[in-house]
Amino acid sequence: MLAKLKRIDWLMALILLCFLLISHFAIKSAIYMDPVYGNSRMDDRMLYFYGLGFAVMLVVSFINYRWLVKLWIPGYIAGLGLLVAVLIYAEERNSAKSWFDLPFGISFQPAELMKLLLIFAIAGFIAMRDGRPLGLVKDVIPVGLLTLIPFALVLIQPDLGNAVIYVVIMTGMLWIGNLKYKYVIGGIAAAIAFFMLFQHLYLTYHDEIGSYLSKQGLGHWTARIDTFLDPESADPDATYHVDKAMAAIGSGGLTGDGYLQGNSVRNRFIPYAFSDSIFVVIGEEFGFAGAATLLLLYFLLIYRMILIAIQCGTMSGALIITGIVSMFVFQIFENVGMLLGIMPLTGITLPFISYGGTSLVINMLCIGIVQSIRVYPEAQSSY
């Protein structure tokens, strides 16, 4: 046990402690004197979630991850069952059916757990190939189907942000799984062609698409797509969030306006400043220095995980870390990018910083699995 304890990457744990402090104080600032959320004590609740997350991380660190890989089929099926159940039984919240309400005021979002279950499913499937190049029919298409089912279920909720993350996870893991270059080039070409076709059709039939989405209760999708594809002609109300976010981050300058002094946050110009827009709080109150420090911590965390993947002795371990890294990198880039106007506006939160119990505990669980891969590096089986 002592030997395993020594193999824990304590630098990663230190980085997570830094995230805890940043998250606590940023959320405290976001809800400070807020007439709606001021008494919610989200900042203190986040400390509770972090405590639970650290406990989960440590426990999982000493569980051999290969056992979990071998259970990828029942885990994947259970995840799909939760996604179906949330569509049937969950109450609608913010125009989406994505959360189960649990006792003690806790909410559980199955789409967050499905990210990790999908990573294990793809890793378990690809690992059976023993490093051989992946074929289109036998490998790529089945992995695509494994991803398509949860993608569709989450899209129905509707939760486009998490649905897209599934595709990102699949793409990263296929790349590391020894995908043939001709499939990579074909996939990139197909993605570019799809985007260009989508943009052309969307702008050509804008009114018809907007009318249909409105009838389906998805009118906010039109506003978000307009904000990204054609911001100059978009409804000013639709670009309000991004415009205010960019102005607030820009006003922070080099060192920021000071803690609890952010004008945009204090005057409630930024929607959901404690969640999706938490980066605005950091950028406005701590400036470029604070934002750069946070991004540097993310870089160090990703760097440490990549090192563990390189040193890992199993294909499944490297694949799992690749899936987790792909998920984190995309979430960070998308969350920060949407607030800077370079990515479409979605409901994706900033990992380890935004308020949210389910996402934080799942992220800590992911780090625990990475630690397990470091603790159990030997290639003792085909998995």
Side-chain angles (χ1 to χ4, degrees):
M1 181 55 123
L2 183 59
K4 291 182 174 61
L5 190 63
K6 290 180 178 179
R7 290 196 62 84
I8 292 289
D9 191 324
W10 294 107
L11 178 58
M12 290 176 61
L14 178 61
I15 294 172
L16 293 176
L17 284 174
C18 294
F19 286 152
L20 181 154
L21 294 174
I22 295 171
S23 176
H24 173 73
F25 288 110
I27 293 173
K28 184 179 182 65
S29 178
I31 64 174
Y32 180 65
M33 297 182 65
D34 189 294
V36 177
Y37 300 105
N39 296 320
S40 64
R41 301 188 66 182
M42 288 184 181
D43 51 335
D44 294 331
R45 288 170 63 85
M46 198 63 174
L47 293 178
Y48 164 77
F49 293 139
Y50 254 107
L52 178 60
F54 271 111
V56 169
M57 182 192 75
L58 287 175
V59 170
V60 173
S61 297
F62 296 106
I63 298 176
N64 195 322
Y65 70 97
R66 298 183 191 87
W67 301 344
L68 302 177
V69 175
K70 292 178 180 180
L71 296 173
W72 73 265
I73 295 178
Y76 178 79
I77 294 174
L80 294 183
L82 288 173
L83 292 180
V84 173
V86 79
L87 290 172
I88 298 174
Y89 299 110
E91 295 183 2
E92 188 171 300
R93 185 192 306 175
N94 295 332
S95 302
K97 299 181 70 173
S98 304
W99 295 269
F100 284 122
D101 292 322
L102 304 179
F104 309 108
I106 298 175
S107 296
F108 169 63
Q109 189 175 7
E112 293 285 348
L113 177 60
M114 192 65 215
K115 296 175 188 175
L116 183 56
L117 296 176
L118 179 63
I119 289 172
F120 273 103
I122 297 176
F125 183 87
I126 295 179
M128 293 188 297
R129 304 298 293 168
D130 292 327
R132 294 191 297 271
L134 301 180
L136 179 62
V137 176
K138 292 184 178 181
D139 302 303
V140 178
I141 291 179
V143 169
L145 291 175
L146 285 175
T147 306
L148 178 62
I149 298 173
F151 174 88
L153 290 173
V154 172
L155 196 63
I156 293 171
Q157 293 181 3
D159 185 354
L160 179 60
N162 276 320
V164 171
I165 291 176
Y166 297 157
V167 178
V168 172
I169 289 172
M170 177 196 71
T171 304
M173 296 181 72
L174 282 175
W175 171 262
I176 297 299
N178 199 8
L179 186 64
K180 294 180 180 179
Y181 283 106
K182 63 180 180 179
Y183 297 144
V184 174
I185 296 173
I188 294 174
I192 294 174
F194 174 80
F195 177 78
M196 295 178 65
L197 179 63
F198 171 80
Q199 183 179 29
H200 171 73
L201 293 176
Y202 181 82
L203 295 178
T204 302
Y205 301 100
H206 178 273
D207 294 339
E208 293 84 349
I209 294 174
S211 176
Y212 173 77
L213 291 177
S214 296
K215 292 178 181 179
Q216 302 300 318
L218 302 174
H220 62 286
W221 282 17
T222 306
R224 290 182 175 184
I225 296 173
D226 287 348
T227 302
F228 178 63
L229 292 183
D230 194 9
E232 294 184 359
S233 62
D235 184 348
D237 292 336
T239 62
Y240 173 88
H241 191 159
V242 175
D243 291 341
K244 292 298 183 181
M246 293 174 63
I249 294 173
S251 70
L254 180 61
T255 58
D257 298 334
Y259 185 56
L260 300 179
Q261 301 300 316
N263 181 65
S264 297
V265 178
R266 295 290 74 76
N267 289 291
R268 315 303 154 202
F269 294 150
I270 309 298
Y272 302 107
F274 56 86
S275 181
D276 302 351
S277 305
I278 195 75
F279 187 76
V280 177
V281 180
I282 297 170
E284 183 176 37
E285 298 191 348
F286 298 97
F288 175 80
T293 300
L294 175 61
L295 295 178
L296 177 61
L297 288 173
Y298 278 130
F299 171 81
L300 291 175
L301 181 68
I302 299 300
Y303 171 72
R304 296 301 299 178
M305 288 194 287
I306 292 175
L307 282 183
I308 295 173
I310 293 173
Q311 298 166 0
C312 176
T314 62
M315 171 63 77
S316 61
L319 285 168
I320 290 170
I321 295 179
T322 299
I324 293 173
V325 167
S326 299
M327 177 180 70
F328 284 158
V329 169
F330 178 76
Q331 287 186 232
I332 296 165
F333 182 76
E334 166 60 25
N335 182 273
V336 175
M338 73 181 186
L339 298 173
L340 296 176
I342 60 175
M343 293 292 287
L345 189 66
T346 66
I348 293 177
T349 56
L350 191 60
F352 303 103
I353 306 298
S354 294
Y355 177 80
T358 303
S359 60
L360 176 63
V361 173
I362 296 300
N363 289 340
M364 296 292 280
L365 176 59
C366 289
I367 298 299
I369 292 169
V370 174
Q371 296 280 21
S372 174
I373 295 171
R374 178 178 168 85
V375 171
Y376 298 94
E378 304 85 4
Q380 297 175 348
S381 70
S382 61
Y383 287 91

